[in-house]
Amino acid sequence: QLTMSLNSSTLLNEENSQGPKRNPECLESLELQTPSSFQENPLQQLQLASQEVLEKAKKSGRSKCPRCSSSRMFYCYTCFVPVETVPTKEIPTVKLPLKIDIIKHPNETDGKSTAVHAKLLAPDDVTIYKYPCIPEYEEKRHEIALIFPGPDSVSVKDIAFHLQKYTKKSVCDNDNDCSGEPCLKQAKIEPKEEKNLNECISSNRSEGTRLKKIIFIDSTWNQTNKIITDERLQGLLQIELKTRKTCFWRHQKGKPDTYLSTIEAIYYFLVDYHQEILKENYKGQYDNLLFFFSFMYTLIKNAKCCAGKE
């Protein structure tokens, strides 16, 4: 099964000024496709900040973005800020254990992306790039990984082991004397010197296997190929999330329910990383990354029930 941070979306599509008005009570935007898991609510156990501010904003309707003055619901997806009816101080802030880069396909509609949720809720640790304007990662590839279900993808628990190999390979690539021999093979040295060398190697290896940044692709599956084949992303360790199922309301038709929206992929990766790599008990530290997502999920679910009664 493949897991991707693909086909992201927000609750409310930006309305065409010429189109029909929507009933805010029943949210008649229920042309959105719904995954089978919608019958349950796997998000109800999240430890979230109060969503009262979103309830009030929903009742008030659209509001202006404080930066570009566009009419939006909850937040501006182009400026990455809450609208005037959603005070920033009432939005939770999440501190992440590593940095996150989100590469957004240029044809991915801004208003349909959950990537903005990550930027709104973890502004100090998340950067969104619009392809093809992305960083060069080659020199840091031993501390960066990419979420993508490729043939060589590994699980989260195996990150440290595989980054160690990437670090070793990087040393060889930059060592003109490697000549195909193992990187750590050295001339004969005295036992005392060998002990010091091994300690140094061990220290460097430990430092070198620390993941410092994770990259997510924000696009539909069909749009992904252009990004994943970019030369700037070659040579990066690829990680696959295999066991999570999406709650996303715009799930791609014909794709497995393990294809996650961008914010789901970020959240589930961090939960696994916290437990598998940091070796710490998870106590809801990153739950607020789903602050907007869970609220929208509930709105859509209630609206679907409402539409079914009519």
Side-chain angles (χ1 to χ4, degrees):
Q1 295 295 308
L2 304 182
T3 302
M4 272 297 295
S5 53
L6 301 175
N7 195 28
S8 305
S9 174
T10 54
L11 165 67
L12 302 175
N13 289 329
E14 288 306 300
E15 296 174 306
N16 187 314
S17 60
Q18 304 300 320
K21 296 294 182 180
R22 300 185 181 186
N23 183 339
E25 294 297 321
C26 286
L27 289 173
E28 294 175 358
S29 57
L30 293 173
E31 72 277 7
L32 305 182
Q33 295 175 4
T34 309
S36 58
S37 58
F38 235 125
Q39 302 306 317
E40 305 170 358
N41 185 359
L43 306 177
Q44 62 185 354
Q45 301 301 321
L46 296 174
Q47 300 179 41
L48 299 172
S50 172
Q51 295 175 320
E52 183 179 357
V53 63
L54 300 182
E55 289 284 359
K56 291 180 179 178
K58 177 175 72 77
K59 294 176 181 178
S60 300
R62 289 174 167 283
S63 183
K64 285 186 177 181
C65 168
R67 294 186 183 176
C68 68
S69 297
S70 296
S71 176
R72 300 282 190 255
M73 179 67 80
F74 304 129
Y75 55 80
C76 180
Y77 47 72
T78 52
C79 299
F80 308 143
V81 294
V83 294
E84 293 177 347
T85 55
V86 182
T88 302
K89 63 181 181 180
E90 296 187 42
I91 300 298
T93 300
V94 183
K95 181 61 181 174
L96 306 184
L98 37 67
K99 299 298 182 182
I100 288 177
D101 282 0
I102 300 174
I103 301 176
K104 185 174 178 296
H105 193 281
N107 294 337
E108 178 72 359
T109 305
D110 290 339
K112 294 182 178 181
S113 173
T114 60
V116 64
H117 296 185
K119 182 61 179 176
L120 285 163
L121 298 164
D124 295 336
D125 298 316
V126 175
T127 304
I128 298 178
Y129 297 95
K130 181 169 286 189
Y131 187 83
C133 299
I134 65 174
E136 296 286 348
Y137 293 109
E138 184 175 1
E139 292 184 2
K140 299 287 186 178
R141 63 185 180 182
H142 59 285
E143 58 189 35
I144 299 175
L146 170 68
I147 299 294
F148 186 78
D152 299 319
S153 296
V154 304
S155 63
V156 174
K157 65 183 178 64
D158 293 326
I159 287 176
F161 172 75
H162 288 280
L163 278 182
Q164 176 180 310
K165 293 194 298 183
Y166 273 60
T167 303
K168 187 174 179 180
K169 184 176 186 299
S170 180
V171 172
C172 270
D173 288 344
N174 295 311
D175 188 350
N176 293 329
D177 296 326
C178 269
S179 303
E181 294 295 324
C183 294
L184 301 181
K185 187 173 182 179
Q186 302 288 337
K188 186 175 181 180
I189 53 179
E190 296 300 319
K192 183 177 180 180
E193 293 176 339
E194 183 175 9
K195 180 179 179 182
N196 292 336
L197 176 62
N198 288 337
E199 289 177 352
C200 180
I201 291 172
S202 177
S203 175
N204 289 339
R205 178 175 295 168
S206 175
E207 177 67 22
T209 56
R210 285 177 49 206
L211 184 65
K212 296 182 180 179
K213 179 176 288 186
I214 191 79
I215 302 170
F216 293 83
I217 296 175
D218 184 39
S219 73
T220 64
W221 177 256
N222 292 334
Q223 294 170 340
T224 304
N225 188 62
K226 184 174 182 180
I227 296 178
I228 198 63
T229 56
D230 189 288
E231 61 180 9
R232 291 167 290 184
L233 299 181
Q234 304 312 301
L236 293 177
L237 177 65
Q238 294 183 359
I239 300 170
E240 182 175 350
L241 307 177
K242 302 179 180 180
T243 62
R244 309 293 188 173
K245 294 184 178 181
T246 186
C247 294
F248 193 42
W249 46 90
R250 286 187 69 90
H251 181 66
Q252 293 188 74
K253 186 176 182 179
K255 300 299 182 183
D257 58 5
T258 50
Y259 278 30
L260 306 175
S261 66
T262 301
I263 195 62
E264 286 178 302
I266 292 172
Y267 170 74
Y268 287 126
F269 167 79
L270 289 171
V271 172
D272 289 347
Y273 180 83
H274 192 86
Q275 297 172 318
E276 299 286 354
I277 304 301
L278 301 184
K279 302 297 183 183
E280 298 178 13
N281 292 330
Y282 183 69
K283 299 179 180 179
Q285 291 91 331
Y286 314 120
D287 283 10
N288 274 322
L289 286 174
L290 298 179
F291 180 75
F292 291 106
F293 185 90
S294 63
F295 185 79
M296 294 172 177
Y297 172 95
T298 301
L299 281 185
I300 288 287
K301 185 176 181 180
N302 292 341
K304 187 173 179 65
C305 291
C306 179
K309 293 177 182 178
E310 294 182 346

